[in-house]
Amino acid sequence: MSALNLYDTKTRSIAPFKSLKPKQVGIYLCGATVQAPPHIGHIRSGVNFDILRRWLIATGYEVTFVRNVTDIDDKILHKAVHEEIPWWAVAMKYERAFTDAYNALNVLPPTYEPRATGHITQMINLMQILIDNGSAYAPGNGDVYLEVRKLKEYLTLSNQKLDDLQTAEDADLTYKKDPRDFALWKAAKAGDPSWPTPWGDGRPGWHLECSAMAHAYLGEAFDIHGGGLDLIFPHHENEIAQSQAAGYKFANTWMHNAWVTTSGEKMSKSLGNSLQVQEILKKVRGIELRWYLGSAHYRSMLEFSFDALAESATAFRRVEAFLARAKSVLGAEPQPVIAAEFAAAMNDDLAVPQALAFIAESMRIGNTSADDKKVIAKTAGEVRGALSILGCDPFDPVFAASKSNDAAMDGLIKLALEQREAARLRKDFAAADAIRDQIASLGVIVEDTPNGPRWSY
Ligand SMILES: [Zn+2]
């Protein structure tokens, strides 16, 4: 089997992936700031990195997957005022909404899911190291800043030069030595939550949280740090700056997923509500939304439209129907296998579009094989194996919730079939055919068996 190659944002090239420890991988993925329900842009990152994780597991790695929750932030505080509930209630409410969305899309739960507010001690320790070694300073007002001038390497991930960095015209230099210095810690404001530190009461800066939590769970050096493209600067640059100034090697490989776009732009706020995961799940099943979000290469923008989503869902139902037919021909669920062609695609920087082409080809062979059990077992096994890595295996019990809908579907389809049978008996073949066509247009396949008709997607 070919070896895994991944694109590293830092080197801007694809290189063979080599884990720091044999057969073990540590991944840190920047999680949500829990201040609103998740939209599909948020959840795409979860799906993309879940595919990476599943592929690493399938190829024999033990994966430690850390995805944090940013549960203190300006936006959360604003929301608390707006919703007239405590800030922590806002955070918990939307953390739950994210968890529900991840679950609905079959994203494996992280090994660790640390909340920022649970790691203040680790953040204070990190700031202490940075102040002691002269990388950071506390000007006395409760803020703590990192002195970016002193860094040997800064902005190498985003390929910028410090002197080219735009600074705000009105940058307040009362406390900062340089307008580009960024806050590790923010002094308490009246009425806002705060935690005591040796430098005054305050709350964590966003960047510091991730450095402290990555260090706490993955150590001074780990394999992969991930996030959306928009996090490269300033968030990831600042994570690197703090961590390396503290003497940590930090992440070996940097991976960034592209956005979900609408009209070529990063998802617009105006479409915001309709693109919330919970709203879209009223139109398609979780497994279909996952298939759609995972179908593009993770580094390619995914231009969203409801038409494209519907088309993708229809395509997925054809894959499901193929596996359902295989199950009925074989008399058992096809056994998943990882085909060499699929592995080659995944090893090529997770080339899902090529993997989908392979799935389509396996289905074509399976579908043209009549009921040759050997061919069906092989092709359906390959398709199921591929689907399990993409997190879209229809036999996965996690999608059982959609099966409870099947009971209702069962009743409705039986009713339609009785109508078709009645039409046939009175020799109204036009009506019988129309009913059959309408059932087919829903993506449902009906087979006549000795025990009566049986249906599948
Ligand atoms: Zn982060």
Side-chain angles (χ1 to χ4, degrees), residues 8 21 113 122 141 149 163-164 177 199 204 212 217 239 248 258 266 274 287 302 321 338 396 400-401 409 436:
D8 183 358
K21 292 184 204 143
E113 193 169 19
Q122 287 83 349
N141 68 331
R149 268 283 162 215
D163 289 327
D164 297 342
K177 293 184 185 175
W199 314 285
Y217 293 93
E239 278 188 43
Y248 307 151
K266 193 182 173 197
S274 64
I287 195 171
L302 179 63
I338 300 298
D396 188 331
M409 263 301 255
R436 184 199 59 206

Side-chain angles (χ1 to χ4, degrees), residues 313-333:
T314 304
F316 181 71
R317 288 197 284 271
R318 277 197 290 272
V319 183
E320 264 182 317
F322 171 73
L323 289 178
R325 186 176 79 90
K327 184 181 169 185
S328 83
V329 171
L330 299 171
E333 290 174 4

Side-chain angles (χ1 to χ4, degrees), residues 48-65:
N48 285 157
F49 283 93
D50 191 57
I51 292 173
L52 167 67
R53 182 182 180 186
R54 286 168 186 265
W55 182 236
L56 288 166
I57 293 170
T59 49
Y61 289 97
E62 189 187 308
V63 180
T64 304
F65 194 95

